[in-house]
Every structure is written in C-alpha cells, then in structure tokens.
Amino acid sequence: MRDLGATGTLVALALCGALTLINLAGIAMAARRIGRGQSIGLVPAGAPVSLVRPVCGVEAFSEELLTRGFHLAYADYEILFCVADADDPIVPLLRRLMAAHPGISARLIVGDERISDNPKLNNCVRGWEAARHDWVVLADSNVAMPPDYLQQLQAAWGPDTGLVCSTPIGARPDGLFAAVECAFLNTLQARWQYTGEALGLGFAQGKSMLWHKPFLEARGGIRALAAEIAEDAAATKLVRAAGARVHLVAAPFDQPLGRRTLSEVWSRQLRWARLRRVTFPLFFAPEIGCGPLLPFGIALSAAPSLGLAAILFGLTTLWYGAEIGLAHRAGWYRRPRLLLAFLIRDTLIPALWTCAWMRGAILWRGNAMDIRPKAGGFDPAPPRSWRRPRASAA
C-alpha cells in the first residue's frame, strides 16, 4: 500500500514537472523572441500605406488613441475610418480630428457590407476597397500607435511573409480585474503567440494587420476573410494555404484598458475562447493546462502528501516568477497585484475552457455571432499571380 502511494506521488510529480517545464520553455522562447526583429524588412522604404480603422462607439481612450493615428512619423499614408452607422456617437469626434489635422489624408466611410456574421469585418470591407495603396494596415480603434507604428510593422516583413500582426498588450489597468485582463493578454496569450511564431506556427491577430494588398486580392480579397467567424483565424489559414507565414512585430503594441469588471473580463475571454475552439480546436484543447492551479490541485488530490504539496508550491512559485520575469523583460504591467491576478486568471481558465466547448452564440458589441464552423471548411479563392515585394535599393 505504501509502494502504491509512493508511485502515485511520483507520477503526479512527474506530470506536474513536465507541465511546468513546457510552460517555462514557452516563457523562455517568448522572452528571447520579443524585442528581437524577425528579419530584414522587405517593404520598400517609404512605400505609401493605407490605414483602415473600423470604429464603433466612444470608449474611454477613443480620442487619445484615434489622435495618435494622425501623428505617425511616416511621410505618405492615408487614414480611412469605417463606421457602420452615420448616427454612431464616434462620428462627431472623427470629423473634429480630421478637421484638426488637414495635413493628413483622412476619409470617413459610412456603411458596412454584410458579408459575414462578423461586424468588424463587415465594417472594414468598404475601407479596404477604397484604399489607394498596395500596403494596407487594418487596425482596431483601441490600438495605442507609437510614432513608428508603421515602420515596426514593416520591419517584420520577410521573404516568406504573408501577413504581419501584433497581439494586444494590456496597459494602464485601473483596478484588480483590469490587472486580470493584463494577466490573460500579456504573459499568457501574447507569450504563447510569440512561442508559436518562434516554432513556425504564427497565428494572426486582428488588432493590427499589415497586408500586401495584391497578395490578398489574388486570393479573394478581404471578402475571403469571411470564411471563418473570426477574420484573424481566416487570415491565418489563408496565409498558410498560400505557403507563406504570419509574422509578429518585434514588440507588440499596447491596448489601454482602464477599468474592467469581472463580468467584462469573463465575457471577453469566453468569446475569444469559443472562437479559438471553433477555428483551431486541436490547438485550443491543451489550453486547460495553461495554468498550474487545476493540474496541481488534481495531482495533490490524487496523491496527497506534505512533501508533494511543498514541491508543487515551489513549482507554482517558479511558474509565476517566470511570468513576472517575462513581464519585466518586455516592459509590461508588473505591479504587485499581478500575482493575485495570476491566481484569479488561473481559477477562471478551467471554467472558460469548459464553457467554450458548449454550444451558443457570442455577443460582440451587442451583435449576436454564430460560432459554428463554416460548412465545407476554409476554401480560399484560387490564387492568381502574385510577386513578393523586393527590398528597396535605399
């Protein structure tokens, strides 16, 4: 009986140790990748850019973040604001900002195209089609653009690139649950995205997307992104089907959070979890092991002992210490309450994971979205001729 208990303890310890090593390896790979350029940018120097920004409603940081788009350190770019409804409360702010910056080419495009159940994608269609330049950035309205925003995106474009993206980094949180959102966005989700890219499995992220317009037009244009409920999932599959890769910027861009409630964090994370489950189920399934609380708790319940409890506590400390180290290395939010945020996040993960497997629609800004897989799967348009951009002579 004593041997059986010892064996159970060893098995539990081995499984928890393996899970810890996997996560530590992911953190190490992300820490090494973030801040380091992926390649020599092949976008021609000074190439004109169209910046398409879907907007909907006024949020806490709307004026600040939309103003930043008018102050980019780039000589030749245009901004196309896309709003579905002419009566949207964001419209007066947009008109005021455009009037205050007459030196920047900016247009307001009103009305969407109902090509999918995704309201953001519908809102981008007319902006994409009106874009005058071959290089197009689709950027959410809550992205905090630094002055060299476009240069950073361009610098990640290599010879095998089909798309460059940036995952959002939670910044300026107000309150505990906004810190929980940082714990989800930064050292968990951004970490695994950079780890995946380092392994050659780059996934698109819809917050900031740099496209070479002829590449996407040769494969059905922006309407091809309606092949999945999430435009970034469709973009990932389209790029991979073309034999190209999704690359990430060297340092991801901030998304100011402000105040968040537990309900808001839960709703947003559940929506994203359900989208990942539908579009990439094999990658979503292991997410149940992303935090130590559930697997370590199960291990301790299966083989209870003070020695195992002490070891698991040490592994948990190592795990969270590595996450805090990554946040410090990358310059992300790392206040003392982040440790409590980790614990709340990892308590929520099993519930989110379980609920994500259940059927049900999701809501995005009050719009119901059908998350069932598209019939027939992903079917990009037949490719036409497309030539990768060459490095500029400058």
Side-chain angles (χ1 to χ4, degrees):
M1 204 61 180
R2 213 177 266 176
D3 291 342
L4 187 59
T7 300
T9 300
L10 288 174
V11 170
L13 183 57
L15 290 174
C16 292
L19 194 57
T20 301
L21 286 175
I22 290 171
N23 277 273
L24 291 178
I27 291 171
M29 293 177 71
R32 184 179 179 186
R33 168 64 183 89
I34 293 170
R36 177 174 59 84
Q38 184 76 351
S39 60
I40 299 174
L42 297 182
V43 178
V49 176
S50 295
L51 180 56
V52 177
R53 305 201 74 176
V55 289
C56 178
V58 177
E59 298 175 316
F61 299 99
S62 289
E63 182 163 3
E64 173 195 341
L65 300 182
L66 293 173
T67 300
R68 287 191 181 206
F70 289 93
H71 296 281
L72 302 181
Y74 202 84
D76 192 358
Y77 72 100
E78 64 172 351
I79 307 174
L80 298 100
F81 294 109
C82 303
V83 61
D85 185 354
D87 295 325
D88 192 295
I90 196 69
V91 170
L93 172 60
L94 295 175
R95 295 195 186 280
R96 177 161 57 82
L97 290 177
M98 289 189 292
H101 300 87
I104 301 297
S105 174
R107 287 178 281 166
L108 175 62
I109 297 176
V110 178
D112 59 4
E113 296 286 339
R114 302 301 176 91
I115 65 170
S116 72
D117 293 328
N118 182 339
K120 186 177 83 171
L121 179 61
N122 296 343
N123 201 11
C124 286
V125 173
R126 293 187 181 183
W128 172 274
E129 294 176 346
R132 292 194 293 252
H133 307 308
D134 281 350
W135 294 96
V136 181
V137 174
L138 303 180
D140 283 5
S141 59
N142 55 7
V143 175
M145 298 178 176
D148 62 345
Y149 173 76
L150 296 178
Q151 291 92 330
Q152 288 192 49
L153 287 167
Q154 293 170 340
W157 195 283
D160 63 347
T161 305
L163 175 63
V164 170
C165 296
S166 172
T167 183
I169 295 301
R172 293 154 63 179
D174 180 6
L176 174 60
F177 295 115
V180 173
E181 188 92 291
C182 286
F184 272 107
L185 290 173
N186 302 358
T187 57
L188 180 64
Q189 293 168 358
R191 175 239 300 189
W192 282 116
Q193 277 209 263
Y194 275 91
T195 301
E197 189 215 26
L199 295 172
L201 295 171
F203 285 83
Q205 173 60 255
K207 284 291 176 182
S208 291
M209 306 172 77
L210 171 64
W211 288 100
H212 188 222
K213 195 172 185 180
F215 170 84
L216 187 54
E217 287 296 329
R219 288 156 181 84
I222 194 171
R223 295 169 187 268
L225 302 186
E228 297 283 348
I229 184 60
E231 79 283 354
D232 39 20
T236 300
K237 295 180 180 182
L238 182 148
V239 169
R240 291 179 181 178
R245 290 189 177 185
V246 176
H247 285 150
L248 301 175
V249 293
F253 307 117
D254 287 351
Q255 176 187 328
L257 299 180
R259 195 150 193 89
R260 290 283 192 272
T261 65
L262 177 59
S263 175
E264 290 170 334
V265 174
W266 170 268
S267 176
R268 185 175 295 104
Q269 293 301 324
L270 180 58
R271 181 176 77 241
W272 291 343
R274 284 178 169 167
L275 291 171
R276 293 195 301 274
R277 185 263 297 174
V278 168
T279 53
F280 293 101
L282 293 179
F283 289 96
F284 176 73
E287 287 191 18
I288 191 66
C290 282
L293 298 189
L294 178 64
F296 287 13
I298 292 174
L300 193 57
S301 299
S305 73
L306 288 177
L308 180 60
I311 293 173
L312 293 181
F313 179 78
L315 291 178
T316 303
T317 302
L318 181 63
W319 191 317
Y320 288 154
E323 284 201 55
I324 291 172
L326 174 61
H328 180 78
R329 161 77 173 79
W332 300 337
Y333 175 79
R334 53 191 181 279
R335 296 287 179 85
R337 71 171 51 171
L338 186 59
L339 181 57
L340 178 57
F342 287 157
L343 294 172
I344 296 173
R345 177 199 70 189
D346 292 344
T347 300
L348 294 175
I349 283 176
L352 288 166
W353 186 87
T354 301
C355 291
W357 288 102
M358 300 177 181
R359 290 187 176 183
I362 62 174
L363 288 177
W364 186 83
R365 294 185 181 272
N367 296 278
M369 299 168 66
D370 184 358
I371 64 167
R372 291 173 298 178
K374 298 286 187 178
F378 180 71
D379 184 21
R384 299 193 296 271
S385 61
W386 171 70
R387 182 176 299 171
R388 297 188 185 278
R390 298 179 179 179
S392 64

